Amino acid sequence: MIVEQGLISFLKKFDEQPFLVKLDGKEYKIGEGEPTFTVKFNKSIPVSSLLTSTSIALGEAYMDGDLEIEGDLYEALDHFLGQMGKFSTDQNALKKLIFTSSSKKNQQKEVRSHYDIGNDFYKLWLDETMSYSCGYFRHEDDTLYQAQVNKVDYILQKLYLKEGMRLLDIGCGWGFLLIEAAKKYKVHGTGITLSEEQYKECQKRIKEEGLEDYVKVELMDYRDLPKMGEQFDRVVSVGMVEHVGRENYKLFLECANKVMKKGGLFLLHFISALKEHPGDAWIKKYIFPGGMIPSLREMLTEMAEFDFHTMDVENLRLHYNRTLRCWRKNYLEHLDEVRKMFDERFIRMWDLYLAACAATFHNGIIDLHQILMTKGINNDLPLVRWY
């Protein structure tokens, strides 16, 4: 009884919108008004667990079926994550989880734990481009596929590509951006990734497109870029810097700087935060081990150390909310296929991940920024915006 009372008392903090709690045969209404969803506990959660990490305690309860949502999961998470400042995280108790090694070996292991769970799995709920990053919805009725094509076109336009240029993609994913750049602008592209699954699929797609003379992909850590002995006119990185760790932002930019030609353009597309924060414990434990979200201001500060001049900064936060909701819709529509690959705990975990990330973008807990910069001064760009 004491455990139950403690749980209800803890949940009463999240009272900005009304919801119902079902626990041990009883119902508790929290907040004013008509509840729009119900949190059903099949097993109580000790307050000590909630205080150590609210996100891990609630997340694991959902994964294990000890907690169920009656209503829309996204709506419930939108409610709770809109009050994320009330979550508890004991950083001392979770030090090894939150602050992991940024060594090459460990970061390779962390990256592969997420991206190498199977190309067939990702193909179920990503679009045909296999783009695992924020789309760009130019029009209200854009499909997910169109939004991803829009995003890549937009990035390539921002890079002001010309035929024969050399383009580097740091964290190239499954290669769609590089392939589009080669086809549309006849540039020579090089991509790097730490994911073996992405590397194999990217090589396959390059061959299928007949672009072996234009595009290549390397299984490589960004820290080894200067050893390549190559120089690039343009550099792009989409959704990769979140994996390098706060202590390595400067090193990441230094490595990019060393392989860029003077006056070159660099577009950095990344999930960002308003302030510096070590990150969510549940996400680190189950989804992105070692992941760290930069703040916009610290990235801009580090850029100045390498004479990177900011040309443009754009926030696509709501585009990522919509992208994630599209991914989740696709995911839920393919649960029968997912069940042939993974168990129920994974299925609930991945649904929670997609819905929770959509909610965090909706609430502005995280943003999605694109920074366009030049290495040194470039006076040859058009005076008017070219994209």
Side-chain angles (χ1 to χ4, degrees):
M1 186 66 180
I2 295 175
V3 174
E4 286 78 0
Q5 289 175 345
L7 174 57
I8 297 300
S9 179
F10 185 89
L11 292 173
K12 283 181 178 178
K13 296 190 298 182
F14 302 93
D15 61 355
E16 290 183 9
Q17 300 293 331
F19 65 100
L20 200 65
V21 177
K22 291 182 179 179
L23 175 63
D24 199 24
K26 298 178 182 179
E27 292 187 356
Y28 305 85
K29 181 186 169 188
I30 296 176
E32 296 296 324
E34 188 67 25
T36 55
F37 64 90
T38 298
V39 182
K40 181 185 177 185
F41 287 94
N42 299 318
K43 181 179 178 182
S44 190
I45 302 175
V47 174
S48 59
S49 297
L50 291 164
L51 292 175
T52 300
S53 172
T54 304
S55 63
I56 288 180
L58 294 177
E60 289 182 342
Y62 184 80
M63 290 162 59
D64 294 332
D66 296 334
L67 183 163
E68 297 179 65
I69 299 296
E70 296 177 355
D72 185 75
L73 176 62
Y74 169 76
E75 184 179 338
L77 289 167
D78 198 41
H79 167 83
F80 282 104
L81 295 175
Q83 304 172 71
M84 202 169 184
K86 300 173 184 177
F87 278 40
S88 297
T89 304
D90 185 340
Q91 291 190 19
N92 288 327
L94 301 171
K95 188 175 182 180
K96 290 184 179 180
L97 172 66
I98 294 175
F99 304 102
T100 59
S101 167
S102 59
S103 69
K104 287 183 181 179
K105 184 177 180 180
N106 190 60
Q107 289 195 335
Q108 181 187 68
K109 178 183 175 182
E110 290 173 342
V111 165
R112 290 181 177 177
S113 73
H114 184 89
Y115 297 97
D116 284 358
I117 59 178
N119 288 336
D120 289 343
F121 170 65
Y122 284 105
K123 286 177 182 178
L124 289 176
W125 50 276
L126 297 178
D127 68 290
E128 301 94 310
T129 71
M130 289 292 283
S131 297
Y132 191 19
S133 55
C134 176
Y136 184 49
F137 295 85
R138 284 185 180 272
H139 306 103
E140 186 59 36
D141 60 350
D142 279 345
T143 62
L144 174 62
Y145 169 78
Q146 187 60 55
Q148 295 294 5
V149 171
N150 292 345
K151 183 268 300 295
V152 167
D153 283 346
Y154 195 34
I155 288 174
L156 298 181
Q157 288 170 22
K158 286 186 175 185
L159 287 169
Y160 199 61
L161 297 170
K162 301 293 182 183
E163 183 174 345
M165 281 185 172
R166 295 179 59 78
L167 170 66
L168 170 67
D169 187 348
I170 306 175
C172 63
W174 288 276
F176 182 68
L177 185 149
L178 284 171
I179 288 169
E180 287 293 286
K183 288 165 66 174
K184 293 182 177 180
Y185 296 91
K186 290 185 169 54
V187 299
H188 294 275
T190 297
I192 68 167
T193 179
L194 285 176
S195 164
E196 289 187 346
E197 289 288 300
Q198 290 183 342
Y199 172 72
K200 288 186 290 187
E201 182 70 17
C202 193
Q203 283 191 314
K204 178 184 173 185
R205 296 173 100 180
I206 292 167
K207 189 173 182 179
E208 288 173 348
E209 294 284 353
L211 293 171
E212 295 96 324
D213 292 337
Y214 281 92
V215 183
K216 65 177 180 178
V217 60
E218 305 283 354
L219 202 58
M220 180 189 294
D221 190 287
Y222 72 92
R223 283 165 280 202
D224 293 326
L225 280 170
K227 299 176 185 177
M228 291 177 68
E230 297 184 46
Q231 290 285 296
F232 298 89
D233 304 279
R234 302 290 188 260
V235 175
V236 63
S237 184
V238 178
M240 181 272 177
V241 75
E242 300 92 323
H243 293 289
V244 308
R246 176 152 283 118
E247 66 273 26
N248 280 344
Y249 297 151
K250 182 175 286 187
L251 178 59
F252 171 81
L253 292 169
E254 180 182 2
C255 290
N257 177 60
K258 286 181 177 179
V259 297
M260 284 183 71
K261 295 179 182 178
K262 188 170 178 58
L265 289 178
F266 180 12
L267 187 136
L268 183 63
H269 169 121
F270 65 106
I271 298 172
S272 60
L274 196 61
K275 296 181 180 179
E276 299 72 36
H277 190 273
D280 178 73
W282 182 83
I283 287 284
K284 284 175 176 280
K285 185 173 182 179
Y286 289 103
I287 307 297
F288 289 114
M292 190 72 72
I293 304 300
S295 68
L296 176 62
R297 64 185 179 187
E298 69 182 322
M299 197 55 67
L300 290 169
T301 297
E302 298 292 4
M303 283 164 46
E305 298 303 311
F306 301 99
D307 200 26
F308 282 129
H309 292 248
T310 305
M311 301 293 292
D312 184 63
V313 179
E314 186 170 8
N315 189 343
L316 302 179
R317 174 177 65 85
L318 290 177
H319 291 266
Y320 217 162
N321 169 265
R322 185 166 173 182
T323 301
L324 279 151
R325 297 186 74 176
C326 287
W327 287 343
R328 182 172 181 244
K329 180 175 182 292
N330 289 347
Y331 175 76
L332 294 175
E333 288 173 352
H334 290 87
L335 287 183
D336 288 343
E337 294 101 313
V338 177
R339 284 194 173 94
K340 295 175 184 177
M341 303 176 180
F342 302 102
D343 62 19
E344 289 297 321
R345 193 170 193 260
F346 177 94
I347 288 169
R348 292 170 70 86
M349 176 190 78
W350 207 263
D351 185 25
L352 182 61
Y353 153 57
L354 294 173
C357 285
T360 52
F361 279 106
H362 187 248
N363 284 285
I365 296 164
I366 48 178
D367 293 304
L368 189 288
H369 277 102
Q370 287 187 354
I371 305 176
L372 180 66
M373 62 192 97
T374 62
K375 177 179 175 177
I377 294 297
N378 185 329
N379 290 327
D380 297 325
L381 299 173
L383 290 175
V384 295
R385 183 172 287 196
W386 58 90
Y387 49 89

